[in-house]
Structure formats: structure tokens, C-alpha cells
Amino acid sequence: MVTVNQQRVPRKRTYLMCSPEHFAVEYAINPWMDVTAPVDAELAVKQWDRLRETLVGLGHEVHLLTPERGLPDMVFAANGAFVVDGTVYGAQFKHEQRAAEAAAHRAFYESQGWRFIAPSETNEGEGDFAYLPDAHGGLILAGHGFRTELPAHAEAQEALGRPVVSLRLVDPRFYHLDVALASIDDENIVYYPGAFSAASQKVLAQLFPDAVIADDEDALAFGLNLVSDGANVVLNSEATRLAGKLKAAGYTPVPVELAEVKKGGGSVKCCIAELRH
């Protein structure tokens, strides 16, 4: 079991983010989006800025993607690709409203000289893929059921040369893996069992016996849509119960307020793609 006095050591990360200056809820492609609820774009940018400053303050490097008018969901930078060991597996969005985001991400990675592999299967990048470099020699967890199609898991495994474990999402409120599960260090996770099929729950319990288990209150507060450097866990400020559980497991919760961005159905992790060299 996890010992509370275990020394958690942060590891410097490199992230990609995109300002929400064009953010709005203009369509509804997940249960959280309400086109009748107004978005305060100025406040969204302020809250996003605080998130970016928090990451930089923790010692991480943040690259910025240029937001494009007419693509209000570009703030959710995690969905544009999935990067492991310097190789980029590109995204192919399920909904046409977001399709053009994939090209913006591809242009960024190619401009940086990354090895880019274009997908032929529908997948939404880190929205449905999580990587744990020290779990079982380097393991990719992959969600399907609402956005990413199952054949994309095999395609990602071929592209990235890492084993991919497929997990079926069964609750439309948890339409992406990253709203139901997150890595909290290089070998362990936190997750909400109720978002997954019974068989996927068994798989997770077998692979991660020491995982931190979240409840529905944590999950519905977007608490699992978090980013961790192995010691500091940046998470939605509403997820106070989950913050307590993480603290008890030896992590340092770093709460941030993202109420405006949450209107689009995402929180901390949705705004952040990790660039793994």
C-alpha cells in the first residue's frame, strides 16, 4: 500500500497550452455544454492565465499554440495529439466542429521538428490516452466508447511502440478518459470506477492495486481532469474531497479555479498537452 510519508519527487514537464481568447459554447457535443449559458471570455482568459502561471511557478515549461478564430474549443489543447518519447500520434476529431484543430496541432509539432504520425482512425489525443512511463515498463491507457474509436488504440500502439490497454467508458458524462482517470506519477493513477465497464474496472484494479479511488462527487467536480508532476497535483478547486485523498496519499494538491472553461466540458487536464521528448 501507499505510505503517507513517502517522499514524492516532482519531475519537470513540458506542456502545450492554447489561450481561450476565442472560447465560447457555440454547440453542444458533450453533456456539460449548454449553449444557453453565457461564457465570460475575459474571465476564461484570466483563469487560464492563472493555470499557466501555476505550471510555470512549479518549474515546468509551457509552449503556446496560437488560438484560431472559429475554433472555440482550441483551449482544450490536450485533444490535439498524443506524444510519447518524441513521437507524435496526431488526432482525428469525432465531431466536425473540432476537425480543423488537428491541422493546427500538426503544424505546431512539425514546426518544432517532432516526428509526426498522421492518424487514419478517430482519436482525440490525450483526451483518451494516458501514458505511465514506469508502469509495467511503459504503458498507455486508452479510452473508447464516446469519442476515440477502438481501432485507434491499435494504431497508437503501432505508432508509439508501447503496449496499449483499452478501457471502455460507459457514462456519457465521462466522455473522455481524462475526465475519469489521470496519472498521478510515472507509475500510478487516480480514477473513478463508475465511468468504466465492469471488465475495464477489473483490468484497472489488476494493473494499479495502489491507485487512488475517486467517488462520483470527485468526478462530477472535474477533479480527475488533473495534471500531476509526480508530487504536485494541479486540479479543479471544486474537487475538495479528491484533494484530501491525494494529500493523504502524499501528494500536494494545487487547486485552480476554472469555472468558465468548465462550461465547455473540461478542466485542468483538457487545457494541457504533455510534450514527452
Side-chain angles (χ1 to χ4, degrees):
M1 293 298 292
V2 175
T3 51
V4 175
N5 60 1
Q6 185 177 340
Q7 185 62 42
R8 304 285 177 194
V9 180
R11 178 168 62 76
K12 184 183 173 180
R13 311 289 174 122
T14 304
Y15 296 124
L16 177 66
M17 297 179 68
C18 183
S19 169
E21 59 190 73
H22 303 307
F23 176 64
V25 179
E26 296 173 354
Y27 45 78
I29 57 173
N30 69 58
W32 304 96
M33 299 176 92
D34 178 358
V35 293
T36 66
V39 169
D40 184 334
E42 196 178 328
L43 181 57
V45 171
K46 273 185 187 159
Q47 291 176 343
W48 176 89
D49 263 331
R50 277 199 288 273
L51 172 60
R52 181 183 56 78
E53 288 163 6
T54 298
L55 296 173
V56 172
L58 289 170
H60 306 303
E61 186 180 347
V62 178
H63 292 262
L64 297 177
L65 189 64
T66 305
E68 296 182 18
R69 205 174 288 278
L71 294 175
D73 279 344
M74 269 188 80
V75 63
F76 300 128
N79 303 153
F82 178 51
V83 188
V84 175
D85 297 336
T87 297
V88 184
Y89 174 54
Q92 182 172 296
F93 287 87
K94 180 180 174 74
H95 295 101
E96 62 179 341
Q97 294 96 327
R98 298 194 66 186
E101 292 178 42
H105 281 265
R106 179 173 188 164
F108 167 81
Y109 287 109
E110 290 184 336
S111 75
Q112 300 289 311
W114 292 74
R115 179 174 174 242
F116 186 91
I117 295 178
S120 56
E121 303 291 348
T122 299
N123 83 87
E124 300 200 346
E126 281 199 327
D128 275 321
F129 290 106
Y131 182 56
L132 292 105
D134 292 342
H136 308 279
L139 195 64
I140 295 169
L141 301 179
H144 69 101
F146 298 101
R147 297 291 184 85
T148 295
E149 300 287 345
L150 194 53
H153 296 185
E155 188 173 66
Q157 181 166 287
E158 285 301 305
L160 302 168
R162 295 290 189 181
V164 175
V165 175
S166 297
L167 302 166
R168 189 158 74 88
L169 297 162
V170 294
D171 185 330
R173 295 172 300 178
F174 309 109
Y175 59 95
H176 270 156
L177 183 71
D178 71 2
V179 288
L181 176 152
S183 64
I184 42 176
D185 57 39
D186 288 345
E187 58 185 357
N188 203 11
I189 61 169
V190 56
Y191 69 101
Y192 169 54
F196 298 93
S197 69
S200 293
Q201 289 180 41
K202 285 182 182 174
V203 169
L204 285 168
Q206 179 183 325
L207 290 173
F208 301 100
D210 294 331
V212 175
I213 305 298
D215 60 25
D216 54 354
E217 186 179 313
D218 301 326
L220 293 170
F222 277 84
L224 291 159
N225 196 241
L226 60 80
V227 163
S228 173
D229 61 16
N232 305 292
V233 182
V234 183
L235 78 168
N236 193 300
S237 57
E238 292 172 36
T240 52
R241 277 168 64 102
L242 185 59
K245 291 173 191 173
L246 291 164
K247 194 169 186 179
Y251 299 89
T252 303
V254 183
V256 290
E257 171 62 61
L258 279 177
E260 290 308 299
V261 171
K262 200 176 119 182
K263 292 174 181 175
S267 187
V268 175
K269 175 59 195 155
C270 287
C271 295
I272 302 165
E274 185 169 348
L275 309 184
R276 303 175 188 87
H277 292 276

